[in-house]
Amino acid sequence: MSKYITLLKLSWQNGLVYRTSVIMWRFRQFLKTLMSLTVWTVIFASNANAFNYTQDSMITYIFLVSFLQSMIIASALNGLAHRVYSGEISNHLIKPINIYAYFAVEEIADKAKNVGFLLVEVLILFLIFKPTIILPSMFIFLVFLIWSLLGMILNFIISLLFGSFGFWSPDTWGPRFLFFMIINFTAGSLFPLDILPSVIQKVLYLTPFPYLSFVQIQLFLGKFNNQEVFTHSIVLLFWLGLLGSFAS
Amino acid sequence: MINRIKTYFKIWQHFGKNEWQVTFVNRASNLLFMIGKIIRLSMSLLFLMLIRENVEVFAGYTSDEMVVFFLTYQIIDILSQTLYRGVYIFSNLVRSGEFDFLLTKPINPLFRALTGKPDINDFLFLFPNILISFYLLSSLELNITLISSLWYFALVLNALLIATALHIFVLVVGVLSTEVDGVIWIYRDLNYMGRFPVSIYMEPLRFALFFLVPIGMMTTIPTEVLLGIAPTYSISIAFLVGIGSLILSLKTWNWALKKYSSTGS
């Protein structure tokens, strides 16, 4: 166990070696959230309701997207395909550590780093926009935390599967770019998926991507009844089981 | 002067041909890039259409006018990406020492660093974009005159001057610190904010987007002029910012080159 704690410390330090890059990356996330908040604030300035959202629920949505983007979708495994193709992964395979645990430790360190920055960003945005955030009941909040944790594991598995492209092809950037585009849209990062026509929503729900942040936010906003909470929990576990078995 | 321009155009054509060949070597990867770009454009358009259907007024602009802001951003962004994709790999040239070789060649190193890697994907993507733009423009309720169209065209050229200047500033950062990646992506994100009229953002961000990183001069002013809306800042200020930023960027580049100490080993 101690070797994994040491790895965690090393990964944390590695993540902060290029501090300027990290700060610039976080600044970009901050800009994106700032733009979303501004656009939706402007929309609600002349409309009390839009797309079946009130201003408070939409602002809460954007804050949650920003949070879950950093906690679920941001991943240290983005460069995995290149590490596989370049042979760098061989260095890890010959060490007396479990390769999956190694990746998981890298992921935890990355997310811990994000949390630190995220708290500062959210505080600044709070002071600028002074929003009213909708809070759920304690039970729903607990389910939200569990679903978020499961979302992280799901993204970890999907990233592992995308990383395996490196075993077959040197062109790793193309699939990665496409993956980012798909995730950005299907996880509800650009806008809530429930403002889309119902046909598109139904198609998206056939994929695991809405479970990478959209359903968690809908749960938080109280848009699911008990039956839907149960159904989505089962579907989330199903995707974890199915993709997990592929990954292993 | 004319001969010099012809020579540089020929060289640029060679860059383009080389990149064309590279693009078609990695066909599968580039196809995925293209699909990704189509998804991104489709989603942005879908979002705009949804706003158009559900929201009548956006910060004083009609929903049809909002679509024109987006199309202006899209065209300027793709044109600058097509021309200046080389900036994205500039830090590699500095770190590897390859930039030293460029300095010894009988062409301007700035020209090589800026335009040495035209983006063929974006070039190919430009044509469907123009078609979609014309189709959308024809379906919108707008009051566009010939005079406003001519001013718009001149201001889009001015926007390309500003884009050139901003890319040169990124190269300057690359020469001084090799930290290009973060800076160019921050520029992209700031540029992305230009999909909407920059006047919607709060101060001091609004001022910064008009004068420090003049995205507003690139997208907001041309669109306002095209639509016949009184521009947030006058056209002469937009041209002043365009020409001024280019002169300043060239002077900064020359200064940065004098500070460049080579790889040294």
Side-chain angles (χ1 to χ4, degrees):
Chain A
M1 187 63 192
S2 65
K3 61 187 174 187
Y4 291 107
I5 292 171
T6 308
L7 272 176
L8 184 66
K9 286 178 186 167
L10 284 173
S11 299
W12 168 266
Q13 286 167 353
N14 273 339
L16 293 172
V17 168
Y18 299 104
R19 282 181 202 149
T20 316
S21 297
V22 174
I23 289 168
M24 283 189 191
W25 183 70
R26 288 314 311 179
F27 181 62
R28 293 181 54 210
Q29 304 308 308
F30 177 79
L31 281 179
K32 282 177 190 165
T33 312
L34 181 70
M35 188 183 78
S36 291
L37 284 170
T38 305
V39 168
W40 284 106
T41 304
V42 168
I43 289 174
F44 282 104
S46 50
N47 303 273
N49 266 284
F51 308 104
N52 290 326
Y53 278 82
T54 62
Q55 179 164 8
D56 290 344
S57 57
M58 185 56 82
I59 297 297
T60 307
Y61 182 94
I62 295 163
F63 271 98
L64 287 171
V65 158
S66 170
F67 174 74
L68 294 178
Q69 184 93 22
S70 297
M71 293 309 298
I72 295 182
I73 296 173
S75 172
L77 294 181
N78 285 334
L80 180 60
H82 178 72
R83 285 158 78 178
V84 169
Y85 182 74
S86 67
E88 189 193 326
I89 198 171
S90 308
N91 286 332
H92 305 306
L93 288 170
I94 57 170
K95 286 175 188 163
I97 48 170
N98 182 313
I99 191 77
Y100 296 112
Y102 176 77
F103 289 144
V105 164
E106 277 192 330
E107 196 79 342
I108 292 166
D110 187 60
K111 292 189 192 307
K113 179 184 73 187
N114 285 343
V115 169
F117 283 98
L118 197 62
L119 290 175
V120 179
E121 290 159 24
V122 167
L123 183 68
I124 294 170
L125 290 169
F126 238 88
L127 291 173
I128 294 173
F129 288 92
K130 299 182 178 65
T132 307
I133 299 290
I134 293 173
L135 293 173
S137 66
M138 187 52 80
F139 171 71
I140 292 293
F141 186 68
L142 280 175
V143 179
F144 168 79
L145 288 180
I146 293 167
W147 279 16
S148 298
L149 184 67
L150 295 177
M152 285 180 214
I153 298 169
L154 183 62
N155 189 52
F156 178 76
I157 293 169
I158 293 173
S159 299
L160 276 179
L161 289 170
F162 258 86
S164 65
F165 267 110
F167 287 111
W168 293 283
S169 170
D171 298 325
T172 54
W173 181 230
R176 213 170 111 192
F177 177 75
L178 182 61
F179 176 61
F180 282 143
M181 289 301 114
I182 293 171
I183 287 273
N184 249 332
F185 163 54
T186 53
S189 306
L190 296 176
F191 47 79
L193 300 180
D194 55 348
I195 70 172
L196 293 170
S198 63
V199 180
I200 300 179
Q201 285 184 52
K202 280 178 186 164
V203 173
L204 290 178
Y205 269 114
L206 294 175
T207 71
F209 302 120
Y211 293 88
L212 295 178
S213 66
F214 180 68
V215 291
Q216 284 85 348
I217 300 173
Q218 296 300 296
L219 173 78
F220 194 99
L221 293 175
K223 297 210 171 194
F224 291 147
N225 57 35
N226 287 346
Q227 177 61 42
E228 285 169 324
V229 171
F230 178 74
T231 310
H232 285 300
S233 299
I234 297 294
V235 175
L236 183 50
L237 290 171
F238 164 77
W239 280 119
L240 278 170
L242 184 71
L243 296 176
S245 62
F246 278 134
S248 60
Chain B
M1 184 66 181
I2 297 290
N3 279 341
R4 214 170 145 80
I5 291 172
K6 275 185 186 170
T7 308
Y8 273 85
F9 183 67
K10 263 190 180 172
I11 294 168
W12 184 75
Q13 277 182 315
H14 279 293
F15 293 155
K17 280 176 193 166
N18 291 344
E19 279 310 308
W20 185 269
Q21 287 172 341
V22 170
T23 302
F24 282 89
V25 167
N26 305 317
R27 282 183 292 269
S29 196
N30 281 291
L31 182 68
L32 295 179
F33 262 113
M34 195 59 93
I35 295 169
K37 282 170 196 274
I38 291 167
I39 290 175
R40 185 169 57 187
L41 175 66
S42 309
M43 289 312 110
S44 297
L45 285 174
L46 181 64
F47 181 53
L48 273 177
M49 292 303 134
L50 288 168
I51 287 185
R52 198 179 160 209
E53 277 180 22
N54 291 276
V55 179
E56 283 183 13
V57 181
F58 184 96
Y61 301 97
T62 66
S63 48
D64 281 0
E65 289 169 348
M66 290 305 299
V67 176
V68 185
F69 278 100
F70 174 77
L71 294 177
T72 304
Y73 152 80
Q74 186 72 12
I75 291 293
I76 293 169
D77 187 55
I78 294 181
L79 274 173
S80 57
Q81 296 314 307
T82 303
L83 293 170
Y84 304 138
R85 182 62 76 180
V87 173
Y88 291 71
I89 57 151
F90 183 65
S91 58
N92 290 341
L93 299 184
V94 174
R95 274 197 289 263
S96 66
E98 204 180 321
F99 184 58
D100 293 7
F101 293 111
L102 300 186
L103 289 170
T104 61
K105 300 257 164 71
I107 60 163
N108 190 316
L110 175 60
F111 176 77
R112 178 66 175 79
L114 257 185
T115 65
K117 194 176 167 56
D119 192 321
I120 301 300
N121 273 328
D122 273 331
F123 175 71
L124 294 174
F125 197 51
L126 191 60
F127 297 102
N129 249 285
I130 290 171
L131 285 177
I132 291 169
S133 299
F134 275 110
Y135 170 73
L136 285 175
L137 281 175
S138 66
S139 69
L140 302 176
E141 285 178 27
L142 301 167
N143 186 21
I144 297 172
T145 64
L146 179 64
I147 299 291
S148 66
S149 305
L150 290 174
W151 275 117
Y152 176 76
F153 185 67
L155 283 163
V156 167
L157 289 180
N158 185 58
L160 289 176
L161 285 189
I162 297 172
T164 307
L166 291 172
H167 281 88
I168 295 172
F169 281 126
V170 173
L171 291 177
V172 167
V173 174
V175 169
L176 297 176
S177 76
T178 73
E179 186 54 68
V180 162
D181 300 357
V183 180
I184 191 72
W185 285 109
I186 284 179
Y187 158 72
R188 288 298 299 275
D189 285 336
L190 288 170
N191 197 24
Y192 198 58
M193 296 175 98
R195 287 187 308 165
F196 301 100
V198 165
S199 41
I200 68 168
Y201 299 107
M202 64 191 67
E203 294 289 5
L205 180 62
R206 184 190 307 169
F207 179 83
L209 288 175
F210 271 116
F211 292 102
L212 293 181
V213 187
I215 304 301
M217 299 294 177
M218 290 166 67
T219 53
T220 305
I221 304 290
T223 313
E224 285 176 335
V225 169
L226 179 71
L227 296 170
I229 302 167
T232 313
Y233 290 98
S234 70
I235 293 172
S236 53
I237 290 180
F239 283 121
L240 208 65
V241 169
I243 295 164
S245 59
L246 188 64
I247 292 170
L248 186 66
S249 66
L250 290 171
K251 284 195 178 298
T252 317
W253 169 259
N254 287 330
W255 169 79
L257 273 191
K258 284 175 193 157
K259 295 276 173 195
Y260 180 62
S261 56
S262 174
T263 48
S265 58

